Amino acid sequence: MVDNTLPDSSSNKKQLHLWEQAARRQQATAIAHPNIAFIKYWGNEDDGLRLPANPSLSMNLGSLYTKTTVTFDQSLPNDTLTINHQAVTGPALKRVTTSLDLIRAEASLQLAAHIESESNFPIGSGIASSAAAFAALSVAGAAAAGLHMDEAALSRLARRGSGSASRSVPAGYCRWDTGTDLISIATSIAPPEYWGLRDLVVIVSQEHKAVGSTGGHQLAQTSSLQAARVAGVAKRLQVCQEALLARDLSTMGPIIEEDAIIMHAVMMSSRPPLYYWNPTTMAIIQATQQWRSEGLGVYFTIDAGPNVHLICEACQAEAVIAAARKIPGVKDVIASEPGGSARLVA
Ligand code: PMV
């Protein structure tokens, strides 16, 4: 676990200074927040470029973050990686090297790098840890390589590492559009302070999931429901975006639940099927309906894992957290408000 106090480095002037300093030192540290999708991304048009089958909409989670330092070093024969202070090799290192290779190619740089990454939340269990990881890696890597990339270029770069990472680059509430490599990027539709929604992440398992989302996206097409899911996304996204901009949770809530359930129906009907839920996941879904009938304005969504994200207004968060903690099997509840953009902190 890392220190939860983040330095205030968000002003443009401070960011410019940090980007210049990073280029001189060939070292940079960035933080990025994970995000929760209200309208989900599932399945690619192009797996290599991670061009999504549908547009998606999300909120950055300001209380959770990944902090990544990239140091290019001429004494290193190969890239090295630590995650939460543990040395990591194999496929995870390969994926990071592949992202850094895009940066090295653009910067005409041949140096290997040391990458240190730490997160203040459980990774690999449906809290979009790869989104925060690849957004932070893209910002730190680009800065340490001396590149001057704008938000669109960083979002595109992050997308190549993990699709949803594109949405962790801009601030607040973000939409990621489909299209070609150049135009499939995420943009902010509203800053974090626009609406103080809460995401209460109900942890029912901290285990690393058996099938990650990269493998899952490749299975989407094997479900006979995927075409119907994709066909309905444009309408759901429009309703969700309008409701979000109107700060209307009673319209937005049923749409985000429907969109999550349709995605999980695709997962469960893929070949082979993907079942991410456990019995406590289902218990929380049913409890959410019960709480609503008792007057709480709370709605669920679920990513590629068993943990449930409960979305509500700030004024109801305490009551929802207390109710969720009473459900047998619930290990923890992590509360988050909307978060800012991926940015340099050193
Ligand atoms: O970015 P990936 O490849 O980890 O895929 C994320 C997929 C979901 O979290 C299930 C949905 C989403 O839009 O974030």
Side-chain angles (χ1 to χ4, degrees), residues 150-162:
D150 61 11
E151 186 178 278
L154 289 166
S155 174
R156 174 171 168 248
L157 181 62
R159 187 202 78 217
R160 297 286 299 273
S162 172

Side-chain angles (χ1 to χ4, degrees), residues 112-183:
H114 180 54
I115 305 105
E116 286 174 82
S117 185
E118 48 183 347
S119 299
N120 70 343
F121 60 96
I123 57 176
S125 51
I127 317 185
S129 51
S130 64
F134 283 96
L137 177 71
S138 300
V139 173
L147 292 173
H148 294 281
M149 284 190 163
D150 61 11
E151 186 178 278
L154 289 166
S155 174
R156 174 171 168 248
L157 181 62
R159 187 202 78 217
R160 297 286 299 273
S162 172
S164 58
S166 63
R167 298 188 310 241
S168 281
V169 172
Y173 298 90
C174 300
R175 196 187 65 226
W176 170 28
D177 287 303
T178 54
T180 59
D181 182 29
L182 274 180
I183 61 173

Side-chain angles (χ1 to χ4, degrees), residues 35-37 39-42 50 56 95 128 130-131 162-165 167 176 213-214 217 263 267 302-304:
N35 64 75
I36 180 63
I39 299 295
K40 308 291 186 188
Y41 146 58
W42 196 246
R50 294 185 197 267
S56 52
R95 200 165 159 192
S130 64
S162 172
S164 58
R167 298 188 310 241
W176 170 28
S213 37
T214 300
H217 292 298
M263 178 184 73
M267 292 163 161
I302 308 167
D303 274 350

